[in-house]
Amino acid sequence: FTTSFDLNSKQVLKELERRSLPYTEIDLSEYPSKLEDIKAVVDAPSVPHVFFNTRYIGGVEDCLRELKRWDNSTRYRSPIERYEAEIAPGFDPSNAHLSLPDPSEKITHLPAKSRKANLFVETPEGGKLSARDMTEILKELVPSEACKYKGAVFQKSFTGSKLVGEIANRFDISTENALRFAAKLSRDGFIRHVDSTNFPPRSKSS
């Protein structure tokens, strides 16, 4: 379980892909209704939430530790060999909270041209703000700072979980509705996931 604008979610997916490990991603920014399912099985507010079939691994640090343990295993020649032996033969989760979302519930991304033409933003309480006013509110809610991601330090950035929490507090809405609104802001171009092409890192950490 991930969100499209969360740095930790991106890191976990990249580590799985680096090891050629298959995975099924449920993006909560596209399926916010699944947030209630996560709350029913995991007592942790942030993403990602990683499961190996029915076994809960944890968040980003837990998953990275588990993957490193797989890297160092002497029983298997590679992580993918271990996956084929231990994970692939297993059953899909029978718990309804871990089931794949209904495709009809997916929040559809708007075309880029439509996003650029959208000069106003509908707020969670039904009001409207200009793009400039929304930008100023975001600056107030989550002051930009230097954030570390994948060994690099990015300026003028913030974490997705912090943004969702601040939106929930500002508009007095649930985490699920805050997640929906944050996803909309991402689709409309108000926030972007950091990488070396749009936010060059300041320096490498040791």
Side-chain angles (χ1 to χ4, degrees), residues 166-184:
E166 293 296 336
I167 288 175
N169 291 334
R170 171 63 183 257
F171 294 103
D172 193 23
I173 56 178
S174 67
T175 302
E176 179 178 351
N177 286 333
L179 185 60
R180 288 177 185 269
F181 188 59
K184 173 179 171 54

Side-chain angles (χ1 to χ4, degrees), residues 72-141:
N72 298 327
S73 173
T74 57
R75 183 177 180 182
Y76 299 98
R77 290 174 295 180
S78 66
I80 186 61
E81 182 177 295
R82 181 169 188 163
Y83 169 86
E84 295 291 347
E86 297 184 0
I87 306 300
F91 295 101
D92 290 336
S94 58
N95 189 331
H97 295 301
L98 301 180
S99 64
L100 294 176
D102 184 341
S104 66
E105 296 179 352
K106 182 176 181 179
I107 296 178
T108 305
H109 289 211
L110 294 173
K113 184 178 293 186
S114 298
R115 294 200 300 268
K116 292 179 180 177
N118 189 11
L119 300 179
F120 292 90
V121 180
E122 185 174 344
T123 60
E125 69 266 42
K128 282 191 175 182
L129 290 172
S130 69
R132 175 176 293 182
D133 287 342
M134 189 69 248
T135 300
E136 292 304 314
I137 288 177
L138 288 174
K139 290 180 180 178
E140 175 190 339
L141 289 179

Side-chain angles (χ1 to χ4, degrees), residues 136-152:
E136 292 304 314
I137 288 177
L138 288 174
K139 290 180 180 178
E140 175 190 339
L141 289 179
V142 281
S144 59
E145 56 188 5
C147 291
K148 192 188 303 184
Y149 174 56
K150 294 186 66 178

